[in-house]
Amino acid sequence: MVDDEAEKGYSQFMIGRGLSFFNDTVLLANEMNITPGVDNRMHYDFLRHSVRQKKRFSKWMKKTTPAKVEVIKEYYGYSDAKAQAVEDLISDDDIKHMKSVLSKGGKNNK
């Protein structure tokens, strides 16, 4: 952090999320989550002096949608949220039926 502009662009949430992927920094990230009222400069200084320098590489976890939700979305034309909401209401036999109808190229909306 070299100036006020950099301090304004500092995101405590994203820094904490990034540090939570590693065993040696997860407790430090949690410690900063316990103290939410800390300003950006204090947050940065604490982590800068606490986290040891090391190469840390990881991929960000991505949201995955189950195959069942994808079938529901395609069959009924639902959004992600609506398909996830009704996922528990639809049985596996219904999903098999939907897959067979979709594989034949037709839609049978009841």
Side-chain angles (χ1 to χ4, degrees):
M1 271 196 216
V2 292
D3 57 3
D4 290 336
E5 191 68 31
E7 191 171 345
K8 288 179 184 175
Y10 185 82
S11 173
Q12 293 183 15
F13 171 76
M14 293 304 291
I15 299 298
R17 185 174 182 181
L19 291 175
S20 68
F21 290 124
F22 305 101
N23 291 336
D24 61 334
T25 57
V26 69
L27 294 176
L28 295 171
N30 187 46
E31 190 65 33
M32 293 312 298
N33 284 338
I34 293 172
T35 55
V38 175
D39 67 337
N40 289 344
R41 185 57 155 178
M42 290 177 99
H43 188 270
Y44 173 78
D45 286 338
F46 173 80
L47 292 175
R48 184 172 59 115
H49 294 294
S50 301
V51 176
R52 290 192 174 186
Q53 191 173 12
K54 179 180 171 182
K55 292 184 179 181
R56 294 177 177 86
F57 299 102
S58 71
K59 293 186 177 186
W60 289 88
M61 293 174 40
K62 295 182 181 179
K63 180 181 169 184
T64 59
T65 54
K68 187 175 179 180
V69 173
E70 290 295 328
V71 172
I72 296 169
K73 282 173 42 181
E74 189 175 347
Y75 188 80
Y76 289 111
Y78 286 171
S79 65
D80 285 337
K82 193 167 187 178
Q84 288 174 354
V86 300
E87 177 184 10
D88 296 333
L89 303 174
I90 298 174
S91 69
D92 291 336
D93 292 335
D94 293 336
I95 295 294
K96 288 178 187 176
H97 173 71
M98 289 179 201
K99 284 182 181 179
S100 68
V101 170
L102 290 171
S103 67
K104 293 177 185 175
K107 264 188 173 176
N108 186 12
N109 292 344
K110 293 182 179 180

